[in-house]
Structures are given as structure tokens and as C-alpha cells.
mmCIF file of all heavy atoms in Angstrom:
data_model
loop_
_atom_site.group_PDB
_atom_site.id
_atom_site.type_symbol
_atom_site.label_atom_id
_atom_site.label_comp_id
_atom_site.label_asym_id
_atom_site.label_seq_id
_atom_site.Cartn_x
_atom_site.Cartn_y
_atom_site.Cartn_z
ATOM 1 N N ILE K 1 -18.505 -7.678 -1.471
ATOM 2 C CA ILE K 1 -17.410 -7.576 -0.512
ATOM 3 C C ILE K 1 -17.735 -8.414 0.707
ATOM 4 O O ILE K 1 -18.737 -8.168 1.371
ATOM 5 C CB ILE K 1 -17.175 -6.116 -0.094
ATOM 6 C CG1 ILE K 1 -16.861 -5.263 -1.317
ATOM 7 C CG2 ILE K 1 -16.034 -6.033 0.928
ATOM 8 C CD1 ILE K 1 -16.857 -3.803 -1.027
ATOM 9 N N PHE K 2 -16.919 -9.384 0.981
ATOM 10 C CA PHE K 2 -17.126 -10.210 2.159
ATOM 11 C C PHE K 2 -16.083 -9.931 3.221
ATOM 12 O O PHE K 2 -16.379 -9.820 4.395
ATOM 13 C CB PHE K 2 -17.117 -11.690 1.767
ATOM 14 C CG PHE K 2 -18.202 -12.053 0.807
ATOM 15 C CD1 PHE K 2 -17.949 -12.156 -0.551
ATOM 16 C CD2 PHE K 2 -19.484 -12.261 1.252
ATOM 17 C CE1 PHE K 2 -18.963 -12.476 -1.434
ATOM 18 C CE2 PHE K 2 -20.508 -12.583 0.374
ATOM 19 C CZ PHE K 2 -20.244 -12.681 -0.979
ATOM 20 N N SER K 3 -14.873 -9.825 2.778
ATOM 21 C CA SER K 3 -13.809 -9.574 3.742
ATOM 22 C C SER K 3 -12.623 -8.959 3.017
ATOM 23 O O SER K 3 -12.078 -9.566 2.098
ATOM 24 C CB SER K 3 -13.398 -10.870 4.427
ATOM 25 O OG SER K 3 -12.303 -10.650 5.311
ATOM 26 N N ILE K 4 -12.267 -7.770 3.411
ATOM 27 C CA ILE K 4 -11.105 -7.106 2.819
ATOM 28 C C ILE K 4 -9.899 -7.452 3.667
ATOM 29 O O ILE K 4 -9.817 -7.041 4.832
ATOM 30 C CB ILE K 4 -11.306 -5.584 2.752
ATOM 31 C CG1 ILE K 4 -12.541 -5.244 1.911
ATOM 32 C CG2 ILE K 4 -10.064 -4.915 2.176
ATOM 33 C CD1 ILE K 4 -12.896 -3.779 1.922
ATOM 34 N N TYR K 5 -8.992 -8.218 3.097
ATOM 35 C CA TYR K 5 -7.805 -8.594 3.869
ATOM 36 C C TYR K 5 -6.865 -7.416 4.037
ATOM 37 O O TYR K 5 -6.419 -7.090 5.133
ATOM 38 C CB TYR K 5 -7.075 -9.761 3.201
ATOM 39 C CG TYR K 5 -5.744 -10.033 3.861
ATOM 40 C CD1 TYR K 5 -5.682 -10.546 5.151
ATOM 41 C CD2 TYR K 5 -4.543 -9.727 3.220
ATOM 42 C CE1 TYR K 5 -4.479 -10.753 5.787
ATOM 43 C CE2 TYR K 5 -3.332 -9.936 3.850
ATOM 44 C CZ TYR K 5 -3.302 -10.447 5.137
ATOM 45 O OH TYR K 5 -2.103 -10.654 5.766
ATOM 46 N N ALA K 6 -6.571 -6.753 2.942
ATOM 47 C CA ALA K 6 -5.629 -5.636 3.012
ATOM 48 C C ALA K 6 -6.000 -4.597 1.972
ATOM 49 O O ALA K 6 -6.639 -4.903 0.957
ATOM 50 C CB ALA K 6 -4.194 -6.111 2.789
ATOM 51 N N MET K 7 -5.595 -3.389 2.238
ATOM 52 C CA MET K 7 -5.818 -2.293 1.305
ATOM 53 C C MET K 7 -4.511 -1.542 1.158
ATOM 54 O O MET K 7 -3.806 -1.289 2.151
ATOM 55 C CB MET K 7 -6.901 -1.362 1.843
ATOM 56 C CG MET K 7 -7.418 -0.337 0.841
ATOM 57 S SD MET K 7 -6.404 1.137 0.740
ATOM 58 C CE MET K 7 -6.722 1.845 2.330
ATOM 59 N N GLY K 8 -4.190 -1.207 -0.072
ATOM 60 C CA GLY K 8 -2.932 -0.510 -0.298
ATOM 61 C C GLY K 8 -3.081 0.628 -1.275
ATOM 62 O O GLY K 8 -4.035 0.682 -2.058
ATOM 63 N N TRP K 9 -2.148 1.539 -1.197
ATOM 64 C CA TRP K 9 -2.055 2.641 -2.170
ATOM 65 C C TRP K 9 -0.742 2.488 -2.923
ATOM 66 O O TRP K 9 0.315 2.254 -2.319
ATOM 67 C CB TRP K 9 -2.096 3.990 -1.465
ATOM 68 C CG TRP K 9 -3.442 4.335 -0.925
ATOM 69 C CD1 TRP K 9 -3.910 4.125 0.337
ATOM 70 C CD2 TRP K 9 -4.511 4.954 -1.641
ATOM 71 N NE1 TRP K 9 -5.197 4.560 0.454
ATOM 72 C CE2 TRP K 9 -5.589 5.084 -0.755
ATOM 73 C CE3 TRP K 9 -4.659 5.424 -2.947
ATOM 74 C CZ2 TRP K 9 -6.807 5.649 -1.128
ATOM 75 C CZ3 TRP K 9 -5.873 5.986 -3.323
ATOM 76 C CH2 TRP K 9 -6.929 6.097 -2.412
ATOM 77 N N TYR K 10 -0.818 2.634 -4.216
ATOM 78 C CA TYR K 10 0.325 2.546 -5.100
ATOM 79 C C TYR K 10 0.354 3.803 -5.954
ATOM 80 O O TYR K 10 -0.655 4.504 -6.074
ATOM 81 C CB TYR K 10 0.224 1.303 -5.997
ATOM 82 C CG TYR K 10 0.266 0.000 -5.239
ATOM 83 C CD1 TYR K 10 -0.832 -0.423 -4.487
ATOM 84 C CD2 TYR K 10 1.386 -0.821 -5.270
ATOM 85 C CE1 TYR K 10 -0.799 -1.606 -3.768
ATOM 86 C CE2 TYR K 10 1.427 -2.013 -4.570
ATOM 87 C CZ TYR K 10 0.330 -2.395 -3.821
ATOM 88 O OH TYR K 10 0.365 -3.578 -3.123
ATOM 89 N N ARG K 11 1.500 4.084 -6.549
ATOM 90 C CA ARG K 11 1.570 5.236 -7.439
ATOM 91 C C ARG K 11 2.485 4.919 -8.618
ATOM 92 O O ARG K 11 3.386 4.079 -8.525
ATOM 93 C CB ARG K 11 2.064 6.478 -6.703
ATOM 94 C CG ARG K 11 3.509 6.409 -6.215
ATOM 95 C CD ARG K 11 3.834 7.629 -5.367
ATOM 96 N NE ARG K 11 5.214 7.614 -4.897
ATOM 97 C CZ ARG K 11 5.704 8.493 -4.027
ATOM 98 N NH1 ARG K 11 4.927 9.467 -3.529
ATOM 99 N NH2 ARG K 11 6.974 8.420 -3.644
ATOM 100 N N GLN K 12 2.206 5.613 -9.704
ATOM 101 C CA GLN K 12 3.005 5.447 -10.907
ATOM 102 C C GLN K 12 3.253 6.803 -11.531
ATOM 103 O O GLN K 12 2.301 7.482 -11.944
ATOM 104 C CB GLN K 12 2.315 4.513 -11.902
ATOM 105 C CG GLN K 12 3.187 4.162 -13.089
ATOM 106 C CD GLN K 12 2.626 2.999 -13.876
ATOM 107 O OE1 GLN K 12 1.441 2.657 -13.787
ATOM 108 N NE2 GLN K 12 3.473 2.363 -14.669
ATOM 109 N N ALA K 13 4.509 7.171 -11.574
ATOM 110 C CA ALA K 13 4.914 8.417 -12.207
ATOM 111 C C ALA K 13 5.249 8.138 -13.677
ATOM 112 O O ALA K 13 5.566 6.997 -14.032
ATOM 113 C CB ALA K 13 6.115 9.007 -11.488
ATOM 114 N N PRO K 14 5.203 9.147 -14.532
ATOM 115 C CA PRO K 14 5.513 8.942 -15.953
ATOM 116 C C PRO K 14 6.893 8.312 -16.146
ATOM 117 O O PRO K 14 7.874 8.771 -15.563
ATOM 118 C CB PRO K 14 5.459 10.351 -16.531
ATOM 119 C CG PRO K 14 4.531 11.081 -15.622
ATOM 120 C CD PRO K 14 4.782 10.522 -14.256
ATOM 121 N N GLY K 15 6.933 7.256 -16.922
ATOM 122 C CA GLY K 15 8.197 6.596 -17.218
ATOM 123 C C GLY K 15 8.726 5.706 -16.125
ATOM 124 O O GLY K 15 9.832 5.167 -16.241
ATOM 125 N N LYS K 16 7.960 5.530 -15.053
ATOM 126 C CA LYS K 16 8.403 4.710 -13.940
ATOM 127 C C LYS K 16 7.430 3.575 -13.677
ATOM 128 O O LYS K 16 6.273 3.616 -14.092
ATOM 129 C CB LYS K 16 8.570 5.562 -12.677
ATOM 130 C CG LYS K 16 9.674 6.610 -12.774
ATOM 131 C CD LYS K 16 9.878 7.296 -11.445
ATOM 132 C CE LYS K 16 11.018 8.295 -11.513
ATOM 133 N NZ LYS K 16 11.257 8.964 -10.189
ATOM 134 N N GLN K 17 7.921 2.573 -12.954
ATOM 135 C CA GLN K 17 7.068 1.457 -12.595
ATOM 136 C C GLN K 17 6.152 1.839 -11.437
ATOM 137 O O GLN K 17 6.460 2.729 -10.642
ATOM 138 C CB GLN K 17 7.924 0.252 -12.201
ATOM 139 C CG GLN K 17 8.671 -0.392 -13.358
ATOM 140 C CD GLN K 17 9.340 -1.686 -12.951
ATOM 141 O OE1 GLN K 17 9.714 -1.868 -11.805
ATOM 142 N NE2 GLN K 17 9.475 -2.600 -13.900
ATOM 143 N N ARG K 18 5.030 1.142 -11.366
ATOM 144 C CA ARG K 18 4.121 1.344 -10.244
ATOM 145 C C ARG K 18 4.809 0.859 -8.972
ATOM 146 O O ARG K 18 5.433 -0.197 -8.959
ATOM 147 C CB ARG K 18 2.819 0.587 -10.468
ATOM 148 C CG ARG K 18 1.730 0.927 -9.488
ATOM 149 C CD ARG K 18 0.411 0.266 -9.880
ATOM 150 N NE ARG K 18 -0.072 0.736 -11.162
ATOM 151 C CZ ARG K 18 -1.264 0.419 -11.675
ATOM 152 N NH1 ARG K 18 -2.092 -0.348 -10.980
ATOM 153 N NH2 ARG K 18 -1.632 0.872 -12.856
ATOM 154 N N GLU K 19 4.670 1.647 -7.908
ATOM 155 C CA GLU K 19 5.330 1.297 -6.666
ATOM 156 C C GLU K 19 4.363 1.382 -5.486
ATOM 157 O O GLU K 19 3.403 2.160 -5.513
ATOM 158 C CB GLU K 19 6.520 2.245 -6.390
ATOM 159 C CG GLU K 19 6.134 3.694 -6.219
ATOM 160 C CD GLU K 19 7.304 4.580 -5.835
ATOM 161 O OE1 GLU K 19 8.422 4.084 -5.650
ATOM 162 O OE2 GLU K 19 7.087 5.804 -5.711
ATOM 163 N N LEU K 20 4.645 0.575 -4.482
ATOM 164 C CA LEU K 20 3.839 0.598 -3.265
ATOM 165 C C LEU K 20 4.140 1.869 -2.486
ATOM 166 O O LEU K 20 5.292 2.228 -2.278
ATOM 167 C CB LEU K 20 4.146 -0.626 -2.408
ATOM 168 C CG LEU K 20 3.509 -0.643 -1.021
ATOM 169 C CD1 LEU K 20 1.997 -0.799 -1.120
ATOM 170 C CD2 LEU K 20 4.101 -1.771 -0.168
ATOM 171 N N VAL K 21 3.072 2.529 -2.037
ATOM 172 C CA VAL K 21 3.213 3.704 -1.184
ATOM 173 C C VAL K 21 2.954 3.318 0.275
ATOM 174 O O VAL K 21 3.746 3.619 1.161
ATOM 175 C CB VAL K 21 2.241 4.809 -1.616
ATOM 176 C CG1 VAL K 21 2.324 5.994 -0.655
ATOM 177 C CG2 VAL K 21 2.518 5.244 -3.047
ATOM 178 N N ALA K 22 1.831 2.641 0.502
ATOM 179 C CA ALA K 22 1.464 2.238 1.856
ATOM 180 C C ALA K 22 0.450 1.110 1.772
ATOM 181 O O ALA K 22 -0.295 1.012 0.794
ATOM 182 C CB ALA K 22 0.881 3.406 2.643
ATOM 183 N N ARG K 23 0.450 0.275 2.805
ATOM 184 C CA ARG K 23 -0.466 -0.859 2.846
ATOM 185 C C ARG K 23 -0.882 -1.107 4.283
ATOM 186 O O ARG K 23 -0.066 -0.983 5.199
ATOM 187 C CB ARG K 23 0.211 -2.092 2.244
ATOM 188 C CG ARG K 23 -0.647 -3.357 2.203
ATOM 189 C CD ARG K 23 0.127 -4.472 1.506
ATOM 190 N NE ARG K 23 -0.590 -5.732 1.433
ATOM 191 C CZ ARG K 23 -0.481 -6.700 2.336
ATOM 192 N NH1 ARG K 23 0.305 -6.545 3.380
ATOM 193 N NH2 ARG K 23 -1.154 -7.820 2.194
ATOM 194 N N ILE K 24 -2.164 -1.460 4.465
ATOM 195 C CA ILE K 24 -2.663 -1.770 5.802
ATOM 196 C C ILE K 24 -3.478 -3.049 5.725
ATOM 197 O O ILE K 24 -4.296 -3.222 4.818
ATOM 198 C CB ILE K 24 -3.506 -0.593 6.367
ATOM 199 C CG1 ILE K 24 -3.968 -0.891 7.790
ATOM 200 C CG2 ILE K 24 -4.690 -0.263 5.461
ATOM 201 C CD1 ILE K 24 -4.571 0.333 8.491
ATOM 202 N N THR K 25 -3.255 -3.946 6.677
ATOM 203 C CA THR K 25 -3.986 -5.209 6.683
ATOM 204 C C THR K 25 -5.217 -5.106 7.585
ATOM 205 O O THR K 25 -5.414 -4.108 8.280
ATOM 206 C CB THR K 25 -3.095 -6.352 7.187
ATOM 207 O OG1 THR K 25 -2.855 -6.168 8.592
ATOM 208 C CG2 THR K 25 -1.761 -6.391 6.444
ATOM 209 N N SER K 26 -6.013 -6.151 7.579
ATOM 210 C CA SER K 26 -7.228 -6.177 8.384
ATOM 211 C C SER K 26 -6.914 -6.128 9.880
ATOM 212 O O SER K 26 -7.752 -5.707 10.679
ATOM 213 C CB SER K 26 -8.040 -7.430 8.074
ATOM 214 O OG SER K 26 -7.266 -8.591 8.313
ATOM 215 N N ARG K 27 -5.707 -6.530 10.243
ATOM 216 C CA ARG K 27 -5.314 -6.491 11.653
ATOM 217 C C ARG K 27 -4.617 -5.203 12.012
ATOM 218 O O ARG K 27 -4.155 -5.024 13.135
ATOM 219 C CB ARG K 27 -4.414 -7.681 11.970
ATOM 220 C CG ARG K 27 -5.133 -9.016 11.856
ATOM 221 C CD ARG K 27 -4.307 -10.153 12.411
ATOM 222 N NE ARG K 27 -5.035 -11.416 12.392
ATOM 223 C CZ ARG K 27 -4.593 -12.541 12.937
ATOM 224 N NH1 ARG K 27 -3.398 -12.562 13.544
ATOM 225 N NH2 ARG K 27 -5.308 -13.651 12.873
ATOM 226 N N GLY K 28 -4.531 -4.300 11.030
ATOM 227 C CA GLY K 28 -3.942 -3.001 11.310
ATOM 228 C C GLY K 28 -2.452 -2.906 11.116
ATOM 229 O O GLY K 28 -1.836 -1.894 11.459
ATOM 230 N N TYR K 29 -1.846 -3.970 10.576
ATOM 231 C CA TYR K 29 -0.413 -3.902 10.297
ATOM 232 C C TYR K 29 -0.190 -2.983 9.104
ATOM 233 O O TYR K 29 -0.825 -3.127 8.064
ATOM 234 C CB TYR K 29 0.144 -5.283 9.994
ATOM 235 C CG TYR K 29 1.597 -5.262 9.613
ATOM 236 C CD1 TYR K 29 2.578 -5.155 10.590
ATOM 237 C CD2 TYR K 29 1.990 -5.337 8.278
ATOM 238 C CE1 TYR K 29 3.919 -5.117 10.244
ATOM 239 C CE2 TYR K 29 3.328 -5.307 7.927
ATOM 240 C CZ TYR K 29 4.280 -5.192 8.916
ATOM 241 O OH TYR K 29 5.609 -5.158 8.567
ATOM 242 N N VAL K 30 0.735 -2.053 9.270
ATOM 243 C CA VAL K 30 0.954 -1.021 8.255
ATOM 244 C C VAL K 30 2.417 -1.022 7.806
ATOM 245 O O VAL K 30 3.325 -1.206 8.620
ATOM 246 C CB VAL K 30 0.594 0.369 8.813
ATOM 247 C CG1 VAL K 30 0.895 1.454 7.779
ATOM 248 C CG2 VAL K 30 -0.869 0.427 9.199
ATOM 249 N N ASN K 31 2.623 -0.833 6.528
ATOM 250 C CA ASN K 31 3.973 -0.576 6.051
ATOM 251 C C ASN K 31 3.940 0.537 5.011
ATOM 252 O O ASN K 31 2.955 0.706 4.290
ATOM 253 C CB ASN K 31 4.647 -1.835 5.511
ATOM 254 C CG ASN K 31 3.956 -2.420 4.313
ATOM 255 O OD1 ASN K 31 2.820 -2.857 4.404
ATOM 256 N ND2 ASN K 31 4.645 -2.415 3.181
ATOM 257 N N TYR K 32 5.020 1.313 4.994
ATOM 258 C CA TYR K 32 5.151 2.465 4.117
ATOM 259 C C TYR K 32 6.431 2.377 3.301
ATOM 260 O O TYR K 32 7.436 1.824 3.747
ATOM 261 C CB TYR K 32 5.215 3.764 4.930
ATOM 262 C CG TYR K 32 3.966 4.116 5.693
ATOM 263 C CD1 TYR K 32 3.821 3.770 7.033
ATOM 264 C CD2 TYR K 32 2.923 4.812 5.075
ATOM 265 C CE1 TYR K 32 2.684 4.095 7.736
ATOM 266 C CE2 TYR K 32 1.778 5.148 5.778
ATOM 267 C CZ TYR K 32 1.664 4.787 7.105
ATOM 268 O OH TYR K 32 0.530 5.121 7.798
ATOM 269 N N ALA K 33 6.393 2.991 2.137
ATOM 270 C CA ALA K 33 7.626 3.198 1.384
ATOM 271 C C ALA K 33 8.492 4.171 2.166
ATOM 272 O O ALA K 33 7.989 5.097 2.813
ATOM 273 C CB ALA K 33 7.310 3.766 0.004
ATOM 274 N N ASP K 34 9.794 3.979 2.103
ATOM 275 C CA ASP K 34 10.711 4.853 2.849
ATOM 276 C C ASP K 34 10.526 6.317 2.464
ATOM 277 O O ASP K 34 10.656 7.212 3.303
ATOM 278 C CB ASP K 34 12.160 4.431 2.601
ATOM 279 C CG ASP K 34 12.519 3.128 3.292
ATOM 280 O OD1 ASP K 34 11.782 2.719 4.211
ATOM 281 O OD2 ASP K 34 13.526 2.513 2.897
ATOM 282 N N SER K 35 10.198 6.560 1.213
ATOM 283 C CA SER K 35 10.105 7.929 0.708
ATOM 284 C C SER K 35 8.928 8.706 1.289
ATOM 285 O O SER K 35 8.893 9.933 1.184
ATOM 286 C CB SER K 35 10.007 7.924 -0.822
ATOM 287 O OG SER K 35 8.876 7.193 -1.237
ATOM 288 N N VAL K 36 7.953 8.006 1.889
ATOM 289 C CA VAL K 36 6.769 8.703 2.417
ATOM 290 C C VAL K 36 6.633 8.576 3.925
ATOM 291 O O VAL K 36 5.712 9.170 4.506
ATOM 292 C CB VAL K 36 5.483 8.204 1.735
ATOM 293 C CG1 VAL K 36 5.605 8.305 0.215
ATOM 294 C CG2 VAL K 36 5.129 6.788 2.164
ATOM 295 N N LYS K 37 7.499 7.829 4.564
ATOM 296 C CA LYS K 37 7.410 7.654 6.015
ATOM 297 C C LYS K 37 7.477 9.007 6.721
ATOM 298 O O LYS K 37 8.301 9.854 6.407
ATOM 299 C CB LYS K 37 8.541 6.756 6.510
ATOM 300 C CG LYS K 37 8.340 5.284 6.207
ATOM 301 C CD LYS K 37 9.492 4.449 6.750
ATOM 302 C CE LYS K 37 9.282 2.976 6.445
ATOM 303 N NZ LYS K 37 10.435 2.153 6.909
ATOM 304 N N GLY K 38 6.563 9.172 7.672
ATOM 305 C CA GLY K 38 6.514 10.422 8.420
ATOM 306 C C GLY K 38 5.697 11.508 7.752
ATOM 307 O O GLY K 38 5.409 12.541 8.372
#
């Protein structure tokens, strides 16, 4: 590991595609799926 640019969490429910849950970059920029915000 030299430098982690971004780290994200994804999820996959049975019969569904994998989807982004949340992601954070090395500069702290964060985005969330609407379904988990808050």
C-alpha cells in the first residue's frame, strides 16, 4: 500500500446489482447513496 486514493462501501442484495453505498476520497470528499443518507 503506497497511497489509497479512495475507499468505498458497496452492497449487493440477492437478485440485485452491486450498488455504491458510500465513498470517501483521500481529501475527505464523501458521497452517499440517497437511501442511506443521514
Side-chain angles (χ1 to χ4, degrees):
I1 302 170
F2 299 99
S3 176
I4 301 174
Y5 172 69
M7 191 276 292
W9 288 95
Y10 296 73
R11 66 186 181 187
Q12 188 166 19
K16 295 186 177 181
Q17 290 188 331
R18 190 173 297 187
E19 62 175 358
L20 172 68
V21 176
R23 181 177 179 267
I24 183 169
T25 70
S26 58
R27 294 190 176 187
Y29 176 79
V30 177
N31 63 296
Y32 294 95
D34 288 343
S35 59
V36 306
K37 285 181 180 177

